[in-house]
Amino acid sequence: MVNSSVISGFYKLSPEERLAIIKETAGLTDDEVRLLENTGSLPIDVADHMIENFIGVLPEPMGIAVNFQINGKDYLIPMATEEPSVIAAASYAAKMVRDGGGFHTSSTAPVMIGQIQVVKIKDAQTAKKQVLNSKTEILKKANEQDPVLNSFGGGAKDLDARVIDTSMGEMLVVHLFVDCRDAMGANAVNTMAEAVSPMIEELTNGRVYLRIISNLAVKRLAKAWCTVPKEAVGGAAVVEGIAYASAFAAADPYRAATHNKGAMNGIVACVLATGNDHRAIEAGGHAYASLNGVYTTFSKWIKNSEGDLEGSIELPMAVGLIGGAVKTHPIARIAMKILNVKSANEFAEVLAAVGLAQNLGALRALSNEGIQRGHMSLHARNIAVTAGAKNELIDLVAEQMVKERKVRVDRAEEILKELNQRPS
Ligand code: NAD
């Protein structure tokens, strides 16, 4: 077992050499090592170049959410997730929304914010003016860094500066606004922020520390909305229940966290399947939901004058069709092909619709029969597998547990034992 976590030169070794050391120190069996060695459709040399200290892959199920119609176009949504019921709920909700004419969406230009932190300034307001007066030169310097992005019509378009009060005194924070076109843009923006920093130090007579993208991408928003006929959602009482659920979440951060997590179930699963950065999306979404000082929801549902359900969602959506792992991961490339979007904006809008669908799926279940019924039948299959059930026994054990409302490993083991003892 592990005595020390210091493994000198670990990063210089080959994946096989690293795995041999981990086998030894963590006491892995030959079978466990074989599982790690099997990297499936992600070639070892690709994976080893994607991250540091690579030893194996963690396969995650990928499925397709169906029934999505967005701005009149049909989409198949690839989703990678370990959570049962996410894909079923999204597909079911998309079908309800389809009955009301599908999702409608919009988005802003794909503009990200690069932050440059300036400290130790004598007069922050004067420093701010100096920066704003030199806007043209700063933007020119930023744009020299990425001629490829410029050739696609992107690049640094504008800047602003804010003076903030902190526990270590006043700071000037320069915001560089960069149109990232079809890239998520973190590398592009960070490079520009670093390149213009010496200029900003000179202009402000201050000291620049941080130069990094902000994930609170308020200039790169995606919006989706829909109307669901009351008949499609399960009747007037369900519409009312969903509206009450939405009002509850908007007013209460404890509920808002779970409401928003429900929407993220779908968004993150699709972002992950396409090799995009889901942490960036989650950070951005939750920060956006706190922008007014109190954490609230980024989606809402109301009952309209006809008694039907109307929903909308708006959140930052920094995703790309190129860059990061999008083009290097072979499965991400396939997911992108299935999704069939032509621009980062179209992709962002699809993700907003997916979030709204996922949110509706959860709220409909919560306001109706409760979340556990749908969850439990799928969760029960996982429990049955954990208890050792194989093939057709998985469904038999799961069904019995759901019928008894006892979805637990100890009960699964008992049922499995009973079934195995049954004469065939
Ligand atoms: P990237 O640098 O790999 O690709 C972007 C570049 O591709 C552009 O700068 C441009 O030169 C080029 N390009 C080619 N065709 C383009 C087109 N049609 N539109 C736009 N650009 C085009 O990737 P990126 O998108 O700059 O950065 C994404 C990566 O950065 C992700 O892996 C993310 O995880 C990582 N990252 C994120 C953070 C954060 O979110 N805080 C911080 C650091 C790094």
Side-chain angles (χ1 to χ4, degrees):
M1 282 298 138
V2 180
N3 292 319
S4 169
S5 61
V6 180
I7 310 176
S8 171
F10 194 61
Y11 72 98
K12 290 185 198 152
L13 303 177
S14 69
E16 296 76 21
E17 289 167 328
R18 285 187 208 120
L19 197 45
I21 293 176
I22 297 303
K23 180 185 184 203
E24 183 73 20
T25 47
L28 302 184
T29 65
D30 288 344
D31 280 349
E32 286 166 342
V33 168
R34 260 193 294 279
L35 284 177
L36 283 167
E37 278 171 345
N38 179 5
T39 63
S41 44
L42 185 60
I44 291 186
D45 58 330
V46 175
D48 192 30
H49 286 99
M50 283 174 74
I51 61 160
E52 309 78 34
N53 295 358
F54 164 81
I55 62 157
V57 297
L58 172 84
E60 182 131 276
M62 183 167 103
I64 301 289
V66 295
N67 300 326
F68 275 81
Q69 190 177 64
I70 305 167
N71 302 322
K73 175 177 167 184
D74 273 44
Y75 292 87
L76 296 171
I77 313 292
M79 287 186 170
T81 179
E82 88 300 341
E83 187 172 347
S85 82
V86 166
I87 297 177
S91 303
Y92 183 61
K95 190 157 188 291
M96 291 190 278
V97 174
R98 205 182 174 92
D99 285 349
F103 295 93
H104 308 279
T105 63
S106 68
S107 55
T108 63
V111 174
M112 298 300 288
I113 301 170
Q115 292 194 296
I116 299 142
Q117 174 204 27
V118 199
V119 300
K120 300 187 180 194
I121 329 164
K122 282 205 186 71
D123 176 357
Q125 293 301 340
T126 308
K128 176 178 169 173
K129 273 193 206 116
Q130 297 281 72
V131 169
L132 296 180
N133 287 342
S134 305
K135 190 198 270 193
T136 312
E137 299 82 69
I138 297 171
L139 294 180
K140 183 169 173 283
K141 179 81 186 165
N143 280 319
E144 281 165 13
Q145 312 309 312
D146 203 334
V148 178
L149 185 57
N150 291 327
S151 73
F152 285 102
K157 302 290 181 192
D158 202 355
L159 64 75
D160 200 359
R162 298 153 57 224
V163 177
I164 59 166
D165 268 326
T166 79
S167 59
M168 291 182 72
E170 265 189 348
M171 293 177 192
L172 181 71
V173 184
V174 181
H175 280 188
L176 203 54
F177 302 132
V178 184
D179 185 323
C180 297
R181 292 290 91 200
D182 286 331
M184 181 267 180
N187 288 319
V189 171
N190 296 346
T191 307
M192 290 183 187
E194 288 188 8
V196 301
S197 289
M199 240 171 139
I200 288 175
E201 276 191 334
E202 214 168 288
L203 286 165
T204 57
N205 265 324
R207 167 81 162 88
V208 166
Y209 275 102
L210 271 57
R211 300 147 296 165
I212 177 91
I213 197 164
S214 169
N215 291 112
L216 178 50
V218 291
K219 291 189 173 287
R220 194 174 190 172
L221 298 174
K223 222 174 175 176
W225 61 96
C226 63
T227 303
V228 194
K230 53 183 168 303
E231 300 77 25
V233 83
V238 183
V239 170
E240 194 175 79
I242 293 174
Y244 269 118
S246 181
F248 171 19
D252 178 25
Y254 290 92
R255 175 58 209 148
T258 322
H259 178 103
N260 290 344
K261 189 272 182 185
M264 283 295 177
N265 274 341
I267 295 172
V268 168
C270 183
V271 170
L272 185 60
T274 60
N276 268 275
D277 185 339
H278 57 91
R279 287 87 53 211
I281 300 302
E282 290 189 81
H286 294 296
Y288 190 63
S290 314
L291 213 50
N292 291 331
V294 181
Y295 184 73
T296 181
T297 58
F298 41 64
S299 66
K300 76 167 183 199
W301 297 90
I302 54 158
K303 183 169 92 168
N304 71 12
S305 51
E306 273 82 55
D308 296 327
L309 188 65
E310 271 181 26
S312 60
I313 188 169
E314 181 184 69
L315 72 171
M317 201 56 82
V319 285
L321 306 186
I322 57 110
V326 182
K327 290 276 192 225
T328 47
H329 195 302
I331 303 298
R333 283 206 301 271
I334 298 172
M336 273 299 186
K337 192 169 177 183
I338 295 170
L339 196 57
N340 188 28
V341 289
K342 303 292 179 225
S343 67
N345 271 76
E346 185 184 355
F347 185 16
E349 293 180 25
V350 167
L351 287 168
V354 169
L356 192 59
Q358 204 71 60
N359 187 213
L360 172 61
L363 293 183
R364 197 209 58 85
L366 279 170
S367 314
N368 204 10
E369 75 271 3
I371 202 85
Q372 285 307 76
R373 197 172 88 184
H375 255 253
M376 271 306 153
S377 51
L378 289 157
H379 178 56
R381 302 185 77 230
N382 278 347
I383 298 290
V385 173
T386 308
K390 292 204 168 64
N391 306 322
E392 69 280 359
L393 286 180
I394 299 173
D395 278 342
L396 288 176
V397 173
E399 277 163 22
Q400 184 62 26
M401 286 192 295
V402 171
K403 207 154 89 191
E404 295 174 7
R405 292 179 173 265
K406 282 186 195 157
V407 184
R408 302 190 315 254
V409 177
D410 59 330
R411 184 60 194 135
E413 284 167 352
E414 283 169 13
I415 299 170
L416 194 57
K417 212 161 146 196
E418 287 160 20
L419 289 171
N420 281 331
Q421 281 165 0
R422 233 177 26 185
S424 50

